[in-house]
Amino acid sequence: MTFRKRIAIGTALGLLLLWPTLALGQDEAETPAAPAVSSGGGKELAAEDDIGSAWEVCTALRDRERVSLNMRTARQLLKKAGADLDQDVWDDTIESLERLQYTDFDSEASRKIALGDVEDNLDTICKALRSIVPPVAAYDFPNDDGLKLVVAWRDVEGADSYKLQRRDLSSAEPDKWSDHAEIDATGTGGMRFDDDKKLRKYHRYQYRLIPMANKEPFGEPLLSNETETRPQWFSGMWFFIFLVVICSAVVYYIQQVKSGKDIYIRKIAGLEAVDEAVGRATEMGRPILFIPGIQDITDIQTVAGLIILGRVAQTAAEHDAVLEVPTSRSLVMTTARETVKTSYANAGRPDAYDEKRIYYTTDEQFAYVAAVTGVMVREKPATCFYMGAFYAESLILAETANTTGSIQIAGTAQPAQLPFFVAACDYTLIGEEFFAASAYLSGEPHQLGSLKGQDVGKIIVALFIVVGVILATVITLFQAEYSWFGDTLDFIQNDILDVAE
Amino acid sequence: MKRNVPLLITAIVGFILILSAFIPNIKALSEETAVYFDIIAAFALVLGGGNLLRAHGHNVYKQAPGWGYSAVTVVAFLGTLIIGIGKVAVPPHTGLHTLASSGNHMALVTLDGTQTKRDMIVTLRGAEANAEAPIVIDGTQRGVIKTDERGNGALTLEWKKPAEESAEPAENEFLSSLNIPEVIQRPESEAPPPPAYVPIKVQVGSLTGQLEPYGRLTGDHIANGSWFWYIYEHIYKPLQATMFAMLAFYVASAAFRAFRARNMESIMLLGTAFIILLGRTALGAWFTYHLPEENFWSFFRIENLSNWIMLTFNTAGNRAIMIGISLGIAATSLKVLLGIDRSYLGSDKG
């Protein structure tokens, strides 16, 4: 496939993923200005999902999270209940937010006044939301395994704490109330309690809230709606889409290359030097030291390192070089032995395999380093390979081997250790070069195809970077955080990429 | 068969873990699956330890070159193992306990003997369902356990002697009534020797027992004063710190070799490293302190310049590498899961 076709496919995929963001700018709430309805003038929401949404939005607005999106949702819910606020309220809220965001305040007092305006406006919206939900509401926690419920309620005037009771309507004693929690009042207008104690899936529960004053019951107990614990069967749509796209690309290109298509892979100096490094060891009569990192076999870097070990072992067997592999984990030792044994057998030298050369030292980081550096100083290997996960010990290993005159080839996916390896080693495989090493050294078509598939992922990432940078620049230059641009960037960051704050 | 079974296990477990990331309902299954690794790793630890002993023991036996190091390894390994497992010089857990039982019906009573915690925890199993079991200590009822539908229940009591309920208990009330054998006495300790322990009788429902001090092996093997703790604090930690401290000298020697102005890229590297290094020190800040703090020229203050380089160029480069790494991990994981790359199994076909 030509380069242009690759770009075209990647762009098409990227646009396919991005089209919802382009459609996001259409404000679903673009209706003619609703007649002024004061808060509390509508009916209460009935659907549990709507009630849950109202409380979630209220909590998010109070914390000023994703304000634009949550205001839109709040307005939709208020309209559904026939309790929409005046257009002026919404406009004032946006204005106060923009004033807080973009004004260069000359004093802290001015900034606090602006912040106070924002909080008052958002509080107005929250009060309106609380007026359209039952006084106490219970709903299923979203996107969980069905073992969590949320109870939310409006503050009761005069209460300084609340006692929460719960009954399991699906149990043998549906009428039995049990004391569940005691919560101090916060005075913020509404409260929320996440309940994850001893719940069972697909059971119906109901809560009873008892307002307390000075540890004595105060006022009438309030009953919530009945709700059911429901496990969700799917979450993370965007992540799933990305995973499918990238994996499909990998599989597609593997098939393409298997069917005979030729692909170009750029030269990687560190991998080209493997043969030379092994040959050096043979000529000097000194061993090769291979260190597969200090993490266990569960780390993908260790697996990648062991895959490279297989290739290096085969080359070492062909060149009749001695290979030594001290490991930091017992399972890695076991796996490395199998790998090296098979490599020697494949090279036609099963007799040259020596199990004792692959041994376990210790799990402790610096004790392992001390052992390996001792081996380096005593045995003076001609070549050292560092392929796997490393931490602070990387420089100790590299510098010690440097003093003994070894040629060093390193590869790791730990960005913090790469500078040390680059400074101290002769060749370094940076990031994805390390993961590509196996395919590169094998030269097998179906492995090389996977490298091509990774490129599709890079194109998608690059498209997101370009779009995100353009949006962020426009927002900063034109103070457009609460416009379509801000909404789109918010959607990309929080819904598609799920960037945690 | 030898390769197909591991491949099948890899694929099944891998896909369970991937699916659990998208299906919240099976999150517990993925957590249970991950526990299997811990079980296998425990066996592998024995394998690794055995291999270590065998290899070094052989060196000592044959007096191979460097056998002295092997002897040190073997002695250290076995010594630490015996001291840790044997809990040599470990003080027993301070407190009292009793386990009264009759068939499946049992009551466990524990009383923590520390000065900050004075709770007595009573746990009942296999008793009459949905009933009440009184807790009587030295003839005085102190509480009632309500059992559930399975006859199980628990209660936490705050320990107070009946006659002194209104007064604060004495600071060493528990310890003074315990007769704890083989306690390591600290040189600075001025506490008087504890008086003889008078057994406390406990009755939970129909079961009776007598609170006794904990036995010698109940203490934590890393408790202060134990030999294992001594090995860790006074041998292992100083050695670890020594190795870590060597990094400073290795960084200096690596920097001396690497930061040479051979070409434009290395000059840029050298210059950037110079700015970053100075920006992290007080001396570096002193060079540019005369620049104003709040106008255009403040950008050239060395600490601001250093931060700017780290926040822009370094972060950008770091993220670019991370993107490549993430894609590499995804591709490698897929190859391993699908069995496309089987080199790690020792397969001759990738």
Side-chain angles (χ1 to χ4, degrees), chain A residues 263-276:
Chain A
I263 59 166
Y264 166 74
I265 304 287
R266 67 172 173 87
K267 294 277 180 218
I268 300 176
L271 298 173
E272 292 290 315
V274 168
D275 279 348
E276 173 203 330

Side-chain angles (χ1 to χ4, degrees), chain A residues 452-463:
Chain A
K452 286 265 304 175
Q454 286 174 231
D455 286 346
V456 171
K458 274 185 236 165
I459 292 172
I460 295 173
V461 167
L463 273 172

